[in-house]
């Protein structure tokens, strides 16, 4: 309980010599353990800009029962009410405003408080104002803030409980405003999720945005974010709060049709009253950095005192505007180090700090910084997501020695594609299960949150959460398990053709993620290899103006009489020249002229050039190359008469496996070779797998019980008893079409 109903102090104010102002601190409610406490501060002298700590700075010096005083900033706020006008939320100021102090008590007992105020560069004055008591009663479901776990792969709360991520992006609202989040957060909680990612962007939650000047914050946005923090706490959700949108630094970036070119609307821009001429000045100009530190101080004061802030995330995909567009990578990295240090020195709660980069990119100069507590990867158009994202997590942990979160996932960055590209949500399941059962800190955070709700994709989260809960996954202590066989990538090595002369006619899948680094060569042995070719072949044929990553597309295959390859060049970034070769000899050449300017939408324009390459019978190495200047994008390869064959050495596609273990317990996720996304993504039912199996290595000998689950529904689909011997445990999968999950436990003696 509060010892005094009103804690007050007479301080000499800056209002004038000899005049005194009564500074008072009153609680909104009795402070509770591990729960944000709020105090109303009155008697603060007026100032022209209450957001500028150089003009007026108000801090509390709070000493908990164990000692070690904390400096906690106070903040200015204005109150609002909300109402719905049709489908649109409107917020209206009530006229109430004032100073507030928020604090998170983390131990029971008596706390002492002193207030410190400074104005206009004058020396700060500090005096004790009493204290408050916190009872030894933890509110139900309240735990500490999130920190890095000792394994350096995962998270835990500051009171020592494992924290495993299951969540998605819900970055901004539509017309419903904060009421949208009431529905979204209900669904996240109901389906077992615990993390939601938010953006502070011009159209949602931005504090510094025109018509306000720098260091003059939008109180309607701040009030809305207050509401979302309260909703998150009530729903048991932790917020990954992204503080800035990369489009605020764009001028003429061609992506998204130029809709993100918002530098002219930045309050940091010189023409809008800020200190910066060029966007890169934001990262180098001392005045800009000082302004940003003031914003960080306000964010810490207003939102830091919650356990449900997973991390401060500086940017969304900041390298989207790296040179040759606008920003210099070295300056951006140095800025992250400097601002990360500032947060770690000034956030009294020690919340984690991170940032994010474009899809399929890795920036060692960012993730190697000690100020970045964990790495973030954005995954779009990734083939074989279960295995690929698990390998990526292992690679990041090995190189950076810190956890990795797949902060965005989508089958296509252009749009949801859920019921067209991925109608059975196999890619979504593979991304979620593959990251959960890997060295990542938890599941991938899906993008396209509105479509997830409108398409009712939430049940796959419920199924995942229910199986993981039964296995004890949220309790932590899991690490990647060794599984045999380990080879699951088709080699560029062709064997002999099928004796019966059987052949495949149909599409050869291409990957349409330009940033994804693929070998761009594949041995094609028939239908399955053609459907899985997107794991190796990119549709992007770079020209001479893009030397980095430029390579031809190479196919090694057997062909029947009358065989052919149909090619469609869908898009071009300018003038290009397509060449096809068979066994090194040129067979087709097509010049693609530069499309007219009005046809461009972003970096490329539609050209839809189609051509056919006749292929002689027999084995041939076919190469496609762009010898022109600008990028060409292939969106379709169609084979006629692709003869069935074997891979060299007898290699064949097996089930793909992700597995984690905790002592003698394992969680396993198995994907049919026919269902690895995007292979057979649109097939209602891929060929039934009747001989799938896997072997767990380094396994304690003994008898084990295996329970198999359907990842789509969470329903149990089989049980078996198995024996480990010689350090190996072999699991035979029950018949399945797409994917399976399994929990392996040692039988009771």
């Amino acid at each position: 309980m509060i010892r005094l109903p009103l804690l007050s102090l007479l301080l000499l104010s800056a209002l004038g010599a000899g005049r005194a102002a009564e500074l008072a601190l009153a609680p909104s409610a009795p402070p509770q353990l591990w729960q944000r406490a709020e105090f109303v501060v009155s008697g603060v002298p007026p100032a022209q800009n209450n957001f500028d700590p150089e003009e007026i700075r108000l801090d509390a010096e709070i000493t908990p029962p164990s000692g070690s005083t904390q400096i906690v900033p106070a903040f200015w706020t204005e109150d609002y009410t909300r109402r719905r006008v049709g489908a649109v939320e409107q917020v209206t100021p009530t006229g109430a405003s004032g100073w507030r102090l928020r604090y998170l008590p983390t131990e029971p007992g008596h706390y002492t408080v002193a207030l410190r105020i400074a104005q206009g560069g004058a020396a700060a004055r500090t005096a004790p104002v009493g204290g408050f008591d916190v009872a030894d009663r933890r509110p139900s479901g309240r735990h500490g803030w999130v920190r890095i776990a000792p394994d350096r792969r995962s998270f835990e709360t500051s009171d020592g409980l494992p924290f495993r991520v299951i969540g998605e992006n819900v970055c901004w609202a539509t017309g419903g405003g904060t009421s949208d989040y009431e529905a979204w957060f209900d669904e996240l909680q109901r389906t077992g999720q615990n993390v939601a990612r938010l953006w502070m962007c011009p159209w949602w939650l931005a504090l510094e945005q025109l018509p306000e000047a720098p260091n003059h914050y939008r109180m309607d946005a701040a009030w809305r974010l207050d509401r979302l923090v309260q909703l998150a706490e009530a729903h048991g959700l932790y917020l990954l709060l992204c503080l800035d949108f990369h489009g605020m630094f764009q001028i003429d970036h061609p992506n998204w049709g130029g809709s993100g070119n918002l530098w002219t609307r930045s309050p940091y821009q010189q023409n809008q009253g800020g200190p910066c001429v060029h966007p890169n000045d934001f990262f180098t100009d001392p005045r800009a950095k000082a302004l940003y530190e003031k914003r960080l101080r306000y964010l810490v004061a207003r939102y830091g005192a919650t356990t449900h802030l997973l991390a401060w995330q500086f940017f969304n995909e900041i390298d989207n505007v790296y040179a040759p567009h606008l920003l210099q990578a070295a300056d951006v990295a140095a800025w992250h180090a400097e601002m990360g240090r500032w947060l770690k020195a000034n956030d009294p709660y020690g919340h984690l700090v991170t940032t994010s980069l474009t899809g399929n990119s890795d920036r060692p100069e960012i993730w190697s910084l000690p100020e970045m507590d964990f790495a973030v990867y954005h995954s779009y158009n990734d083939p074989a997501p279960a295995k690929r994202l698990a390998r990526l997590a292992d690679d990041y942990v090995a190189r950076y020695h810190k956890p990795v979160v797949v902060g965005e996932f989508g089958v296509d960055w252009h749009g949801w594609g859920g019921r067209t590209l991925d109608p059975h949500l196999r890619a979504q399941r593979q991304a979620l299960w593959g990251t959960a059962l890997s060295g990542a800190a938890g599941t991938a955070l899906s993008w396209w949150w509105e479509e997830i709700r409108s398409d009712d994709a939430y049940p796959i989260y419920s199924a995942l959460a229910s199986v993981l809960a039964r296995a004890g996954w949220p309790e932590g202590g899991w690490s990647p398990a060794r599984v045999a066989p380990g080879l699951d990538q088709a080699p560029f090595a062709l064997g002999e053709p099928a004796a019966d002369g059987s052949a495949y006619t149909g599409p050869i899948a291409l990957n349409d993620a330009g940033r994804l680094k693929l070998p761009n060569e594949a041995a094609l042995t028939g239908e399955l290899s053609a459907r899985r070719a997107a794991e190796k072949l990119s549709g992007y044929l770079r020209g001479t103006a893009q030397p980095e990553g430029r390579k031809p597309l190479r196919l090694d295959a057997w062909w029947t009489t009358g065989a052919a390859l149909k090619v469609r060049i869908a898009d071009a970034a300018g003038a290009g020249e397509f060449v096809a070769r068979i066994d090194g000899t040129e067979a087709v050449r097509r010049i693609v002229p530069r499309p007219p300017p009005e046809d461009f939408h972003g970096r490329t324009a539609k050209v839809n050039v189609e051509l056919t390459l006749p292929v002689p019978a027999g084995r041939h190495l076919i190469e496609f190359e762009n010898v022109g200047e600008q990028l060409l994008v292939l969106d379709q390869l169609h084979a006629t008469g692709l003869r069935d064959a074997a891979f060299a050495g007898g290699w064949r596609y097996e089930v793909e496996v992700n597995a984690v273990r905790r002592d003698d317990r394992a969680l396993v996720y198995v994907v049919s070779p026919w269902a690895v996304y995007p292979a057979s993504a649109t097939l209602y039912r891929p060929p039934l797998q009747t001989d799938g199996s896997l072997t767990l290595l380094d396994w304690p000998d003994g008898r084990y019980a295996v329970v198999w689950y359907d990842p789509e529904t969470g329903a149990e689909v089989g049980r078996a008893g198995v024996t480990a011997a010689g350090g190996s445990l072999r699991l035979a999968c029950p018949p399945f079409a797409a994917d399976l999950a399994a929990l392996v436990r040692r039988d009771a003696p």
Side-chain angles (χ1 to χ4, degrees), residues 443-463:
T443 70
L445 306 184
S446 296
W447 190 255
W448 309 118
W449 58 96
E450 292 176 84
E451 290 82 358
I452 287 174
R453 186 163 192 258
S454 62
D455 266 5
D456 192 25
Y458 285 121
I460 64 173
Y461 286 93
S462 298

PDB file of all heavy atoms in Angstrom, residues 443-463:
ATOM      1  N   THR A 443       8.819 -19.736 -33.101  1.00  0.00           N
ATOM      2  CA  THR A 443       8.259 -19.827 -34.444  1.00  0.00           C
ATOM      3  C   THR A 443       8.524 -18.562 -35.249  1.00  0.00           C
ATOM      4  O   THR A 443       8.747 -17.477 -34.701  1.00  0.00           O
ATOM      5  CB  THR A 443       6.738 -20.043 -34.396  1.00  0.00           C
ATOM      6  OG1 THR A 443       6.103 -18.835 -33.937  1.00  0.00           O
ATOM      7  CG2 THR A 443       6.358 -21.206 -33.504  1.00  0.00           C
ATOM      8  N   ALA A 444       8.467 -18.714 -36.557  1.00  0.00           N
ATOM      9  CA  ALA A 444       8.450 -17.559 -37.441  1.00  0.00           C
ATOM     10  C   ALA A 444       7.202 -16.730 -37.167  1.00  0.00           C
ATOM     11  O   ALA A 444       6.138 -17.261 -36.826  1.00  0.00           O
ATOM     12  CB  ALA A 444       8.468 -18.016 -38.898  1.00  0.00           C
ATOM     13  N   LEU A 445       7.322 -15.414 -37.305  1.00  0.00           N
ATOM     14  CA  LEU A 445       6.193 -14.505 -37.130  1.00  0.00           C
ATOM     15  C   LEU A 445       5.582 -14.234 -38.503  1.00  0.00           C
ATOM     16  O   LEU A 445       6.177 -13.530 -39.329  1.00  0.00           O
ATOM     17  CB  LEU A 445       6.643 -13.191 -36.481  1.00  0.00           C
ATOM     18  CG  LEU A 445       7.412 -13.297 -35.161  1.00  0.00           C
ATOM     19  CD1 LEU A 445       7.699 -11.913 -34.596  1.00  0.00           C
ATOM     20  CD2 LEU A 445       6.662 -14.137 -34.142  1.00  0.00           C
ATOM     21  N   SER A 446       4.421 -14.778 -38.744  1.00  0.00           N
ATOM     22  CA  SER A 446       3.783 -14.638 -40.055  1.00  0.00           C
ATOM     23  C   SER A 446       3.411 -13.189 -40.333  1.00  0.00           C
ATOM     24  O   SER A 446       3.006 -12.451 -39.434  1.00  0.00           O
ATOM     25  CB  SER A 446       2.521 -15.505 -40.120  1.00  0.00           C
ATOM     26  OG  SER A 446       2.856 -16.864 -40.012  1.00  0.00           O
ATOM     27  N   TRP A 447       3.538 -12.808 -41.585  1.00  0.00           N
ATOM     28  CA  TRP A 447       3.049 -11.513 -42.068  1.00  0.00           C
ATOM     29  C   TRP A 447       1.604 -11.720 -42.547  1.00  0.00           C
ATOM     30  O   TRP A 447       1.012 -12.768 -42.313  1.00  0.00           O
ATOM     31  CB  TRP A 447       3.966 -11.016 -43.188  1.00  0.00           C
ATOM     32  CG  TRP A 447       3.738  -9.598 -43.619  1.00  0.00           C
ATOM     33  CD1 TRP A 447       3.133  -9.177 -44.755  1.00  0.00           C
ATOM     34  CD2 TRP A 447       4.108  -8.403 -42.914  1.00  0.00           C
ATOM     35  NE1 TRP A 447       3.104  -7.806 -44.814  1.00  0.00           N
ATOM     36  CE2 TRP A 447       3.696  -7.303 -43.687  1.00  0.00           C
ATOM     37  CE3 TRP A 447       4.738  -8.167 -41.700  1.00  0.00           C
ATOM     38  CZ2 TRP A 447       3.894  -5.982 -43.296  1.00  0.00           C
ATOM     39  CZ3 TRP A 447       4.948  -6.853 -41.309  1.00  0.00           C
ATOM     40  CH2 TRP A 447       4.532  -5.781 -42.096  1.00  0.00           C
ATOM     41  N   TRP A 448       0.988 -10.727 -43.168  1.00  0.00           N
ATOM     42  CA  TRP A 448      -0.359 -10.831 -43.738  1.00  0.00           C
ATOM     43  C   TRP A 448      -1.403 -11.202 -42.683  1.00  0.00           C
ATOM     44  O   TRP A 448      -2.203 -12.111 -42.853  1.00  0.00           O
ATOM     45  CB  TRP A 448      -0.386 -11.855 -44.893  1.00  0.00           C
ATOM     46  CG  TRP A 448       0.680 -11.636 -45.919  1.00  0.00           C
ATOM     47  CD1 TRP A 448       1.690 -12.493 -46.240  1.00  0.00           C
ATOM     48  CD2 TRP A 448       0.853 -10.479 -46.749  1.00  0.00           C
ATOM     49  NE1 TRP A 448       2.493 -11.952 -47.214  1.00  0.00           N
ATOM     50  CE2 TRP A 448       1.997 -10.712 -47.547  1.00  0.00           C
ATOM     51  CE3 TRP A 448       0.162  -9.278 -46.884  1.00  0.00           C
ATOM     52  CZ2 TRP A 448       2.463  -9.779 -48.468  1.00  0.00           C
ATOM     53  CZ3 TRP A 448       0.627  -8.352 -47.801  1.00  0.00           C
ATOM     54  CH2 TRP A 448       1.759  -8.612 -48.581  1.00  0.00           C
ATOM     55  N   TRP A 449      -1.381 -10.457 -41.565  1.00  0.00           N
ATOM     56  CA  TRP A 449      -2.234 -10.801 -40.423  1.00  0.00           C
ATOM     57  C   TRP A 449      -3.723 -10.644 -40.719  1.00  0.00           C
ATOM     58  O   TRP A 449      -4.529 -11.434 -40.220  1.00  0.00           O
ATOM     59  CB  TRP A 449      -1.834  -9.965 -39.209  1.00  0.00           C
ATOM     60  CG  TRP A 449      -1.903  -8.480 -39.414  1.00  0.00           C
ATOM     61  CD1 TRP A 449      -2.912  -7.641 -39.083  1.00  0.00           C
ATOM     62  CD2 TRP A 449      -0.887  -7.657 -40.001  1.00  0.00           C
ATOM     63  NE1 TRP A 449      -2.614  -6.350 -39.423  1.00  0.00           N
ATOM     64  CE2 TRP A 449      -1.378  -6.325 -39.978  1.00  0.00           C
ATOM     65  CE3 TRP A 449       0.381  -7.905 -40.523  1.00  0.00           C
ATOM     66  CZ2 TRP A 449      -0.621  -5.251 -40.479  1.00  0.00           C
ATOM     67  CZ3 TRP A 449       1.121  -6.846 -41.008  1.00  0.00           C
ATOM     68  CH2 TRP A 449       0.631  -5.533 -40.989  1.00  0.00           C
ATOM     69  N   GLU A 450      -4.079  -9.651 -41.520  1.00  0.00           N
ATOM     70  CA  GLU A 450      -5.510  -9.491 -41.828  1.00  0.00           C
ATOM     71  C   GLU A 450      -6.022 -10.672 -42.643  1.00  0.00           C
ATOM     72  O   GLU A 450      -7.137 -11.158 -42.435  1.00  0.00           O
ATOM     73  CB  GLU A 450      -5.726  -8.179 -42.593  1.00  0.00           C
ATOM     74  CG  GLU A 450      -5.459  -6.943 -41.751  1.00  0.00           C
ATOM     75  CD  GLU A 450      -5.583  -5.676 -42.580  1.00  0.00           C
ATOM     76  OE1 GLU A 450      -6.721  -5.201 -42.731  1.00  0.00           O
ATOM     77  OE2 GLU A 450      -4.548  -5.188 -43.076  1.00  0.00           O
ATOM     78  N   GLU A 451      -5.192 -11.151 -43.584  1.00  0.00           N
ATOM     79  CA  GLU A 451      -5.600 -12.286 -44.411  1.00  0.00           C
ATOM     80  C   GLU A 451      -5.603 -13.578 -43.609  1.00  0.00           C
ATOM     81  O   GLU A 451      -6.413 -14.480 -43.867  1.00  0.00           O
ATOM     82  CB  GLU A 451      -4.674 -12.401 -45.617  1.00  0.00           C
ATOM     83  CG  GLU A 451      -4.838 -11.295 -46.647  1.00  0.00           C
ATOM     84  CD  GLU A 451      -4.087 -10.022 -46.284  1.00  0.00           C
ATOM     85  OE1 GLU A 451      -3.458  -9.964 -45.193  1.00  0.00           O
ATOM     86  OE2 GLU A 451      -4.125  -9.070 -47.080  1.00  0.00           O
ATOM     87  N   ILE A 452      -4.687 -13.697 -42.651  1.00  0.00           N
ATOM     88  CA  ILE A 452      -4.708 -14.875 -41.782  1.00  0.00           C
ATOM     89  C   ILE A 452      -6.050 -14.969 -41.079  1.00  0.00           C
ATOM     90  O   ILE A 452      -6.634 -16.056 -40.960  1.00  0.00           O
ATOM     91  CB  ILE A 452      -3.558 -14.815 -40.765  1.00  0.00           C
ATOM     92  CG1 ILE A 452      -2.226 -15.102 -41.474  1.00  0.00           C
ATOM     93  CG2 ILE A 452      -3.766 -15.804 -39.625  1.00  0.00           C
ATOM     94  CD1 ILE A 452      -1.013 -14.916 -40.589  1.00  0.00           C
ATOM     95  N   ARG A 453      -6.562 -13.826 -40.657  1.00  0.00           N
ATOM     96  CA  ARG A 453      -7.856 -13.842 -39.970  1.00  0.00           C
ATOM     97  C   ARG A 453      -9.003 -14.060 -40.958  1.00  0.00           C
ATOM     98  O   ARG A 453      -9.904 -14.870 -40.711  1.00  0.00           O
ATOM     99  CB  ARG A 453      -8.068 -12.530 -39.206  1.00  0.00           C
ATOM    100  CG  ARG A 453      -9.328 -12.536 -38.340  1.00  0.00           C
ATOM    101  CD  ARG A 453      -9.285 -11.434 -37.303  1.00  0.00           C
ATOM    102  NE  ARG A 453     -10.332 -11.619 -36.325  1.00  0.00           N
ATOM    103  CZ  ARG A 453     -11.476 -10.935 -36.311  1.00  0.00           C
ATOM    104  NH1 ARG A 453     -11.720 -10.023 -37.236  1.00  0.00           N
ATOM    105  NH2 ARG A 453     -12.382 -11.156 -35.379  1.00  0.00           N
ATOM    106  N   SER A 454      -8.977 -13.367 -42.096  1.00  0.00           N
ATOM    107  CA  SER A 454     -10.091 -13.491 -43.037  1.00  0.00           C
ATOM    108  C   SER A 454     -10.139 -14.879 -43.660  1.00  0.00           C
ATOM    109  O   SER A 454     -11.224 -15.376 -43.998  1.00  0.00           O
ATOM    110  CB  SER A 454      -9.996 -12.421 -44.129  1.00  0.00           C
ATOM    111  OG  SER A 454      -8.802 -12.578 -44.890  1.00  0.00           O
ATOM    112  N   ASP A 455      -8.970 -15.525 -43.821  1.00  0.00           N
ATOM    113  CA  ASP A 455      -8.928 -16.881 -44.371  1.00  0.00           C
ATOM    114  C   ASP A 455      -9.015 -17.950 -43.285  1.00  0.00           C
ATOM    115  O   ASP A 455      -8.921 -19.139 -43.583  1.00  0.00           O
ATOM    116  CB  ASP A 455      -7.634 -17.087 -45.165  1.00  0.00           C
ATOM    117  CG  ASP A 455      -7.818 -16.797 -46.646  1.00  0.00           C
ATOM    118  OD1 ASP A 455      -8.913 -16.352 -47.019  1.00  0.00           O
ATOM    119  OD2 ASP A 455      -6.880 -17.001 -47.419  1.00  0.00           O
ATOM    120  N   ASP A 456      -9.142 -17.528 -42.036  1.00  0.00           N
ATOM    121  CA  ASP A 456      -9.252 -18.449 -40.900  1.00  0.00           C
ATOM    122  C   ASP A 456      -8.096 -19.442 -40.891  1.00  0.00           C
ATOM    123  O   ASP A 456      -8.285 -20.661 -40.851  1.00  0.00           O
ATOM    124  CB  ASP A 456     -10.584 -19.192 -40.915  1.00  0.00           C
ATOM    125  CG  ASP A 456     -10.836 -19.923 -39.585  1.00  0.00           C
ATOM    126  OD1 ASP A 456     -10.277 -19.482 -38.566  1.00  0.00           O
ATOM    127  OD2 ASP A 456     -11.573 -20.921 -39.581  1.00  0.00           O
ATOM    128  N   ALA A 457      -6.870 -18.887 -40.913  1.00  0.00           N
ATOM    129  CA  ALA A 457      -5.678 -19.731 -40.835  1.00  0.00           C
ATOM    130  C   ALA A 457      -5.237 -19.971 -39.393  1.00  0.00           C
ATOM    131  O   ALA A 457      -4.234 -20.642 -39.162  1.00  0.00           O
ATOM    132  CB  ALA A 457      -4.533 -19.091 -41.621  1.00  0.00           C
ATOM    133  N   TYR A 458      -5.976 -19.436 -38.434  1.00  0.00           N
ATOM    134  CA  TYR A 458      -5.594 -19.585 -37.033  1.00  0.00           C
ATOM    135  C   TYR A 458      -5.552 -21.024 -36.531  1.00  0.00           C
ATOM    136  O   TYR A 458      -4.746 -21.341 -35.642  1.00  0.00           O
ATOM    137  CB  TYR A 458      -6.528 -18.771 -36.140  1.00  0.00           C
ATOM    138  CG  TYR A 458      -6.283 -17.288 -36.179  1.00  0.00           C
ATOM    139  CD1 TYR A 458      -7.279 -16.410 -36.578  1.00  0.00           C
ATOM    140  CD2 TYR A 458      -5.054 -16.746 -35.804  1.00  0.00           C
ATOM    141  CE1 TYR A 458      -7.067 -15.039 -36.610  1.00  0.00           C
ATOM    142  CE2 TYR A 458      -4.829 -15.382 -35.837  1.00  0.00           C
ATOM    143  CZ  TYR A 458      -5.841 -14.529 -36.232  1.00  0.00           C
ATOM    144  OH  TYR A 458      -5.620 -13.173 -36.269  1.00  0.00           O
ATOM    145  N   PRO A 459      -6.389 -21.941 -37.041  1.00  0.00           N
ATOM    146  CA  PRO A 459      -6.333 -23.307 -36.488  1.00  0.00           C
ATOM    147  C   PRO A 459      -4.963 -23.967 -36.561  1.00  0.00           C
ATOM    148  O   PRO A 459      -4.655 -24.821 -35.720  1.00  0.00           O
ATOM    149  CB  PRO A 459      -7.373 -24.056 -37.333  1.00  0.00           C
ATOM    150  CG  PRO A 459      -8.377 -23.016 -37.692  1.00  0.00           C
ATOM    151  CD  PRO A 459      -7.573 -21.773 -37.915  1.00  0.00           C
ATOM    152  N   ILE A 460      -4.117 -23.590 -37.524  1.00  0.00           N
ATOM    153  CA  ILE A 460      -2.796 -24.224 -37.551  1.00  0.00           C
ATOM    154  C   ILE A 460      -1.954 -23.772 -36.363  1.00  0.00           C
ATOM    155  O   ILE A 460      -1.070 -24.513 -35.902  1.00  0.00           O
ATOM    156  CB  ILE A 460      -2.064 -23.976 -38.882  1.00  0.00           C
ATOM    157  CG1 ILE A 460      -1.763 -22.499 -39.108  1.00  0.00           C
ATOM    158  CG2 ILE A 460      -2.835 -24.551 -40.047  1.00  0.00           C
ATOM    159  CD1 ILE A 460      -0.888 -22.245 -40.337  1.00  0.00           C
ATOM    160  N   TYR A 461      -2.217 -22.565 -35.842  1.00  0.00           N
ATOM    161  CA  TYR A 461      -1.547 -22.132 -34.619  1.00  0.00           C
ATOM    162  C   TYR A 461      -2.060 -22.931 -33.423  1.00  0.00           C
ATOM    163  O   TYR A 461      -1.271 -23.337 -32.557  1.00  0.00           O
ATOM    164  CB  TYR A 461      -1.773 -20.645 -34.380  1.00  0.00           C
ATOM    165  CG  TYR A 461      -0.991 -19.740 -35.296  1.00  0.00           C
ATOM    166  CD1 TYR A 461      -1.545 -19.279 -36.482  1.00  0.00           C
ATOM    167  CD2 TYR A 461       0.303 -19.338 -34.979  1.00  0.00           C
ATOM    168  CE1 TYR A 461      -0.833 -18.447 -37.330  1.00  0.00           C
ATOM    169  CE2 TYR A 461       1.025 -18.507 -35.815  1.00  0.00           C
ATOM    170  CZ  TYR A 461       0.451 -18.066 -36.989  1.00  0.00           C
ATOM    171  OH  TYR A 461       1.160 -17.241 -37.831  1.00  0.00           O
ATOM    172  N   SER A 462      -3.363 -23.132 -33.369  1.00  0.00           N
ATOM    173  CA  SER A 462      -3.926 -23.912 -32.262  1.00  0.00           C
ATOM    174  C   SER A 462      -3.353 -25.316 -32.241  1.00  0.00           C
ATOM    175  O   SER A 462      -3.003 -25.847 -31.175  1.00  0.00           O
ATOM    176  CB  SER A 462      -5.455 -23.973 -32.383  1.00  0.00           C
ATOM    177  OG  SER A 462      -6.026 -22.696 -32.311  1.00  0.00           O
ATOM    178  N   ALA A 463      -3.270 -25.946 -33.419  1.00  0.00           N
ATOM    179  CA  ALA A 463      -2.734 -27.303 -33.496  1.00  0.00           C
ATOM    180  C   ALA A 463      -1.278 -27.327 -33.037  1.00  0.00           C
ATOM    181  O   ALA A 463      -0.869 -28.197 -32.257  1.00  0.00           O
ATOM    182  CB  ALA A 463      -2.859 -27.830 -34.921  1.00  0.00           C
TER     183      ALA A 463
END
